Amino acid sequence: MNNLLSKHWHHLPLDEVIVLLESNATQGLESFEIARRQENFGPNRLTPKKGKSPLVLFLLQFHQPLVYILLAATVITFVLQEWVDSGVIFGVVLANAIIGYTQESKAIKAIEALTRTLDGTATVIRAGIKQKIAVAELVPGDFVLLQSGDRVPADLRLLQIRELQIDESALTGESVPVYKQVEQLPLETVLADRGNMAYSSTLVTYGTATGMVVATGDDTEIGHINTLIAGADVLATPLTRKINHFSKILLWVILGLAGLAFMAGRLHGESLLDSFMASVALAVGAIPEGLPAAMTIMLAIGVNKMAHRHAIIRKMPAVETLGSTTIICSDKTGTITQNQMTVQHIYAGGRRYAISGTGYAPVGEITLDASKIDPGTRPVLLECLKAGVLCNDSRLIQSNGQWLIEGDPTEGALVVAAAKAGLPQDAVERNFPRIDALPFESQHQYMATLHALDAETAVIYVKGSVESILARCEATCGDNLQPQPLNKERIHQEVEAMAAQGLRILAFARKLQPAATQIVNHDDVAEGLGFLGLQAMMDPPRQEAIAAISACQRAGIQVKMITGDHAATAAAIARQIGLAGTTDTAPRHFAVSGHTLAALPDQELMKTAQQAAVFARVAPEQKLRLVEALQATGHVVAMTGDGVNDAPALKQANIGIAMGMSGTEVAKEAADMVLTDDNFATIEAAVEEGRAVYDNLVKFITWTLPTNIGEGLLVLVAVFFGLTLPITPVQILWINMTTAVLLGLMLAFERKEPGIMAHPPRQPETPILTRELGFRIGLVGLILLAGAFVFFEWALSQEKSIETARTLAVNMFVFGELFYLFNCRSLRYSMFKLGVFSNPWLLLGVIAMALLQVFFTYSPAMNTLFGSAPLEMIDWVFILSGGLLIYGVVGIEKWLRRRAENRRDV
């Protein structure tokens, strides 16, 4: 039996399926055989991947180069018996570890959510007895009964059906319930088109069926998805990769300089202890202690801002990743479109009418050649709309101010279209009561209902596929419903024109009967119908999504549509929303089907993935392959999804985006971000916020590094020339920690700069700091070094105390950073262009830092703790002059760069 699990069950005749499974299509399995198979196949549940223990997960949070540096700083300050500083630095490390552990452990819940979807009971026939059993007890060969409302408990090959419809959107992405059948299908039939199969976790929305279990647990299609989720790589974000690279370089530079300082001290005859303390001072000065805390807090602020724009961030690094995104792969239904089928055109009496309005609200107009018409003057139009209302099992309801459909969305669209023409459902059904009905069956492709028309006449209304309806028609209804010759060629031309727009088309017909008729059967509608017309509908795109896609394209971000829908429908929507244009010079295969993708080798797939705009009828593993192919070509990929089938690709993507309203729990658990409004426009807003967060992080790094460079060089120069250290390790820690919190973090509250969405995304391999910023950092670091050293030596030459001289040097660093902070509010423009008071938090931080330095300088307690001393007024003049010098020099450097850029543009 085990070797049967890889069989293509949809391709086999029913008799062969039953034989291979050694079962019985009426009696089911016997008790002894069930026990043997349960032992052989195991329980019908998904096997969760064995993950790391909580302790290992927690300890791995410390396995980062930047954290090594901070742990080293903790040990160094502990050795120096600076308990407060040691505790603060370790507290930062511990907080980062706790946050990282909490978020990483959430990802494990994705598979647990999948497992929960298999809970419940199933109705089976075993040994000829109908019984309910736990889903976990099902085995291959079990004979299962399905009815409306059931969740399919395992993968089934359908044996018998009656009007069966199954919602497979969570598995395949198909936006409407799928009509099922039992006939054998070709081997190459893709998952979404396997109409003779019912798959585990999908939902029966209509009808009944019997089926035989062909796969359970991990061997089901949803089990394969579970395996894909477990195997998907969790990628480092562009920022974390760059920070790790930067940290590794910094680690070796610091160790190398500290070693040089130690050797220089020994060469100058310093004791082992003094040489070691000099090395410690250099290491502490060069370590950017505030960087991890600043990153965490800035990302958290970005999370809060995005929450106000309907985007909930589950994993904080995703905030920055959004700003690096180069491609957005979006689902169609509900994200780009409204997920509300809407009739847009009606063909009746030889004319095509347009209907305005979108969604389920019964508000809109009917026009002919762009002119509004009164439907009451068009009998054949009214009759076509009336047929759509009466030959219908769905209802339009209003709840909490919203219009909703109970039943099939396609049928709901017909009800809404009639209401726009003044034919409310309740009134029409009351005037023409239903007598009998023939439900839709996939083998017939139509539905028929019998209604009382008047005292002498009854009428049969029929709706269905164009082919099935036209084959039964002998005439068409003219403007006043009079019979006219049927022009099938003309009708097919209309059908082709509508289908080219991606519209779903239903045909309508009627047949008059004697009033005494009480039953309608298939023979009654086999011939002699009068053709009424066509109604063409689609799930219309969101207007805000169209604007958002345009904004993304202007920002250099490609948008691709990946959907379970048919290629023609998806391509039509793509053209409406502006995805038809190319974003490269190569010829573009606009829409590619899942069937085509399956045959492509990896190299060809990478090429196609970049060129195509639409991917239709895509299987779960193909979504994963597409994401991997785009990543292999260097793209940062954002992937949206709402179904179980999307979870592997969501986890593999650089940023997975799940739908909050329509999304499954599995998709939400696998995603980095959840949209609370299921709207593509929210993604564009989140990208904008992500770019702003990254900009502010770069501003912070550009602001903080000159201090570390200046402090490290100051210690190194003093050691090399055998001079007294101008700043002690404890004073260095004071500078680094207080300025990072009160000054640097205030950059997190900077507003987005103009034109943030007018430039292309950063290339993934672009370093955090450009050469221009590197030059600026080095320039400011040298000014801080020179100012602190000159002030220190000047104070000693004036026979001031060593404490006073060091206090001068400390304040030079603090106020130099304070003035430089105003330069860093924008890396390109002056703060006057941004608005001096546009960031009140920064001004509060500056005031708080200035007051704290006054306290540091004049408080006896601080003088004792940090070795500081009171300063005279002339000392403050020097300090403020040094700060103003930095602000002026950087301002001139930015102005010169802008002028050079403007000349190049000209």
Side-chain angles (χ1 to χ4, degrees):
M1 284 286 295
N2 279 323
N3 64 342
L4 299 177
L5 297 178
S6 60
K7 289 283 184 185
H8 299 287
W9 298 105
H10 64 280
H11 180 56
L12 300 178
L14 284 177
D15 292 343
E16 188 175 340
V17 170
I18 296 167
V19 170
L20 285 170
L21 291 169
E22 300 174 15
S23 187
N24 187 293
T26 56
Q27 298 296 307
L29 297 172
E30 298 295 329
S31 300
F32 291 117
E33 181 63 18
I34 292 166
R36 186 179 71 81
R37 294 189 185 192
Q38 285 176 339
E39 184 177 350
N40 192 14
F41 292 103
N44 177 33
R45 62 168 63 101
L46 301 178
T47 304
K49 181 183 176 183
K50 186 177 180 182
K52 301 179 182 74
S53 70
L55 178 61
V56 172
L57 273 179
F58 181 70
L59 292 177
L60 284 174
Q61 306 306 314
F62 297 91
H63 185 50
Q64 302 172 40
L66 197 60
V67 174
Y68 296 156
I69 298 173
L70 287 177
L71 288 174
T74 303
V75 173
I76 291 166
T77 50
F78 186 83
V79 170
L80 292 172
Q81 298 185 359
E82 297 298 331
W83 316 119
V84 174
D85 297 312
S86 181
V88 168
I89 298 172
F90 185 69
V92 169
V93 175
L94 190 62
N96 286 334
I98 291 171
I99 292 169
Y101 167 77
T102 301
Q103 292 175 352
E104 190 171 337
S105 61
K106 284 181 180 179
I108 299 171
K109 294 180 181 178
I111 295 172
E112 295 174 2
L114 266 172
T115 305
R116 289 195 295 272
T117 65
L118 292 181
D119 294 342
T121 61
T123 304
V124 298
I125 293 178
R126 286 179 167 178
I129 300 171
K130 181 179 176 181
Q131 54 188 290
K132 279 188 178 293
I133 64 169
V135 167
E137 297 176 12
L138 282 173
V139 294
D142 257 326
F143 185 30
V144 177
L145 282 68
L146 297 175
Q147 62 181 9
S148 181
D150 286 350
R151 192 167 291 279
V152 180
D155 285 1
L156 310 177
R157 172 62 193 272
L158 297 172
L159 303 178
Q160 294 179 325
I161 64 168
R162 179 168 174 79
E163 307 155 30
L164 182 66
Q165 298 178 38
I166 295 182
D167 179 1
E168 295 183 340
S169 58
L171 184 65
T172 66
E174 176 65 61
S175 56
V176 295
V178 178
Y179 292 100
K180 292 295 183 177
Q181 47 96 3
V182 296
E183 284 78 18
Q184 180 182 352
L185 294 171
L187 177 64
E188 65 274 10
T189 306
V190 297
L191 181 70
D193 293 331
R194 293 175 189 171
N196 58 9
M197 300 289 295
Y199 291 107
S200 176
S201 84
T202 59
L203 185 67
V204 178
T205 59
Y206 195 78
T208 59
T210 59
M212 190 158 286
V213 175
V214 297
T216 58
D218 292 336
D219 296 305
T220 61
E221 288 297 332
I222 197 174
H224 298 158
I225 293 174
N226 179 44
T227 305
L228 291 174
I229 294 176
D233 295 330
V234 179
L235 301 178
T237 70
L239 180 66
T240 54
R241 286 200 302 269
K242 292 170 186 174
I243 290 292
N244 285 341
H245 179 68
F246 170 73
S247 302
K248 287 175 184 176
I249 294 173
L250 189 60
L251 177 63
W252 291 111
V253 169
I254 290 171
L255 292 176
L257 291 177
L260 282 175
F262 180 82
M263 288 188 291
R266 295 295 292 152
L267 289 173
H268 281 289
E270 300 285 349
S271 67
L272 278 171
L273 179 62
D274 288 343
S275 298
F276 175 72
M277 291 305 294
S279 298
V280 166
L282 189 147
V284 170
I287 293 171
E289 292 89 353
L291 182 56
M295 279 182 57
T296 301
I297 293 170
M298 284 185 168
L299 290 173
I301 291 170
V303 167
N304 185 55
K305 287 181 178 178
M306 289 185 184
H308 286 97
R309 301 187 75 169
H310 307 292
I312 306 300
I313 302 296
R314 294 187 64 253
K315 301 170 186 176
M316 277 206 293
V319 176
E320 179 275 330
T321 310
L322 277 163
S324 310
T325 299
T326 58
I327 289 182
I328 299 173
C329 296
S330 178
D331 190 24
K332 177 182 73 69
T333 305
T335 308
I336 290 176
T337 64
Q338 299 180 25
N339 198 20
Q340 295 185 343
M341 294 298 288
T342 306
V343 175
Q344 297 189 335
H345 294 281
I346 299 175
Y347 175 75
R351 298 179 179 85
R352 189 202 286 200
Y353 301 89
I355 304 184
S356 63
T358 58
Y360 294 145
V363 179
E365 297 178 344
I366 298 180
T367 58
L368 178 63
D369 298 329
S371 300
K372 181 181 176 181
I373 59 105
D374 178 7
T377 63
R378 312 276 173 156
V380 69
L381 173 62
L382 280 182
E383 194 71 2
C384 184
L385 289 166
K386 190 192 302 179
V389 175
L390 294 174
C391 194
N392 199 313
D393 288 325
S394 297
R395 304 205 67 79
L396 175 66
I397 62 170
Q398 191 172 24
S399 177
N400 298 323
Q402 285 190 317
W403 290 96
L404 306 172
I405 292 296
E406 285 184 349
D408 184 272
T410 301
E411 288 193 328
L414 303 176
V415 176
V416 174
K420 292 176 181 178
L423 294 174
Q425 185 176 25
D426 290 342
V428 174
E429 290 178 341
R430 190 167 52 249
N431 293 333
F432 306 96
R434 182 185 292 189
I435 301 170
D436 193 21
L438 281 175
F440 180 92
E441 293 180 354
S442 56
Q443 63 266 39
H444 295 120
Q445 292 292 307
Y446 64 78
M447 172 184 180
T449 55
L450 175 65
H451 300 266
L453 189 60
D454 53 40
E456 298 178 355
T457 314
V459 61
I460 300 172
Y461 288 113
V462 189
K463 82 162 188 287
S465 68
V466 175
E467 293 78 9
S468 66
I469 299 299
L470 283 181
R472 291 164 169 79
C473 291
E474 65 178 18
T476 187
C477 295
D479 285 341
N480 294 311
L481 299 178
Q482 73 279 13
Q484 292 183 352
L486 181 65
N487 188 343
K488 290 187 179 182
E489 184 178 347
R490 176 76 179 89
I491 294 170
H492 280 300
Q493 288 175 354
E494 285 294 328
V495 170
E496 289 173 7
M498 292 176 177
Q501 299 175 45
L503 298 169
R504 294 173 185 242
I505 304 158
L506 287 177
F508 298 84
R510 74 171 193 169
K511 185 176 184 180
L512 299 179
Q513 297 285 91
T517 306
Q518 294 296 308
I519 296 174
V520 59
N521 56 48
H522 292 293
D523 289 338
D524 295 327
V525 295
E527 59 184 6
L529 301 185
F531 180 77
L532 289 173
L534 308 170
Q535 293 196 45
M537 64 196 74
M538 75 164 17
D539 181 9
R542 296 174 181 260
Q543 290 304 308
E544 61 271 29
I546 296 174
I549 288 170
S550 177
C552 286
Q553 291 173 336
R554 287 196 301 272
I557 302 169
Q558 295 182 48
V559 180
K560 298 180 184 294
M561 182 192 295
I562 301 179
T563 178
D565 238 331
H566 291 279
T569 304
I573 289 288
R575 290 189 176 91
Q576 287 187 40
I577 61 177
L579 292 189
T582 60
T583 54
D584 48 42
T585 55
R588 163 170 270 169
H589 306 291
F590 182 62
V592 180
S593 69
H595 181 68
T596 302
L597 288 178
L600 292 178
D602 289 345
Q603 289 299 319
E604 190 65 26
L605 177 66
M606 289 164 60
K607 184 178 178 181
T608 302
Q610 291 194 80
Q611 292 179 345
V614 178
F615 302 91
R617 307 303 273 175
V618 175
E621 62 273 11
Q622 290 172 335
K623 290 188 178 185
L624 184 58
R625 277 190 76 205
L626 279 170
V627 172
E628 290 172 335
L630 290 168
Q631 288 171 336
T633 55
H635 287 289
V636 176
V637 182
M639 170 78 186
T640 76
D642 55 6
V644 175
N645 63 320
D646 297 319
L650 289 175
K651 190 177 178 188
Q652 174 67 34
N654 300 88
I655 174 162
I657 305 169
M659 303 298 113
M661 295 170 66
S662 62
T664 60
E665 286 303 311
V666 179
K668 293 175 190 176
E669 291 289 348
D672 304 286
M673 183 173 89
V674 179
L675 305 184
T676 59
D677 59 356
D678 290 13
N679 195 335
F680 186 90
T682 302
I683 302 175
E684 186 266 335
V687 169
E688 190 176 326
E689 290 293 346
R691 289 189 174 191
V693 168
Y694 183 86
D695 283 355
N696 288 343
L697 280 170
V698 173
K699 290 173 187 177
F700 177 86
I701 294 170
T702 305
W703 170 83
T704 194
L705 287 184
T707 305
N708 302 112
I709 291 172
E711 290 167 343
L713 290 177
L714 185 64
V715 172
L716 197 62
V717 168
V719 170
F720 265 81
F721 289 99
L723 305 174
T724 305
L725 288 179
I727 309 180
T728 66
V730 174
Q731 290 171 340
I732 289 172
L733 279 171
W734 167 265
I735 295 169
N736 291 356
M737 298 305 291
T738 56
T739 56
V741 173
L742 293 177
L743 297 181
L745 277 180
M746 300 305 111
L747 291 170
F749 298 99
E750 281 298 327
R751 297 177 182 177
K752 295 183 287 290
E753 292 192 30
I756 197 168
M757 289 293 284
H759 58 79
R762 302 181 307 278
Q763 291 301 313
E765 301 310 316
T766 302
I768 296 176
L769 301 175
T770 62
R771 281 187 299 178
E772 291 80 3
L773 292 181
F775 173 81
R776 188 179 302 169
I777 289 167
L779 178 64
V780 175
L782 289 174
I783 296 175
L784 287 171
L785 163 68
F789 194 81
V790 168
F791 291 168
F792 176 78
E793 291 297 326
W794 173 81
L796 292 181
S797 70
Q798 297 297 309
E799 298 185 352
K800 296 188 178 186
S801 67
I802 187 71
E803 290 79 12
T804 301
R806 283 175 170 163
T807 304
L808 258 170
V810 168
N811 277 295
M812 175 61 213
F813 271 102
V814 170
F815 281 89
E817 284 188 275
L818 188 150
F819 279 93
Y820 180 48
L821 182 70
F822 290 104
N823 293 118
C824 290
R825 290 188 60 194
S826 172
L827 299 178
R828 176 178 168 80
Y829 301 108
S830 162
M831 71 169 178
F832 295 103
K833 180 166 184 175
L834 303 179
V836 176
F837 302 103
S838 61
N839 186 352
W841 288 102
L842 184 136
L843 298 177
L844 288 173
V846 165
I847 293 169
M849 189 71 243
L851 293 174
L852 197 59
Q853 277 309 110
V854 171
F855 182 66
F856 171 88
T857 305
Y858 294 104
S859 166
M862 299 297 282
N863 296 159
T864 303
L865 283 171
F866 290 96
S868 59
L871 298 179
E872 299 174 3
M873 185 61 66
I874 187 64
D875 299 328
W876 287 109
V877 171
F878 284 135
I879 292 165
L880 295 176
S881 298
L884 281 170
L885 175 66
I886 289 174
Y887 178 79
V889 168
V890 175
I892 292 170
E893 183 255 350
K894 288 200 288 186
W895 176 76
L896 290 172
R897 288 195 186 280
R898 285 199 307 274
R899 192 174 72 164
E901 288 174 5
N902 292 335
R903 283 179 176 174
R904 284 198 300 270
D905 293 340
V906 173

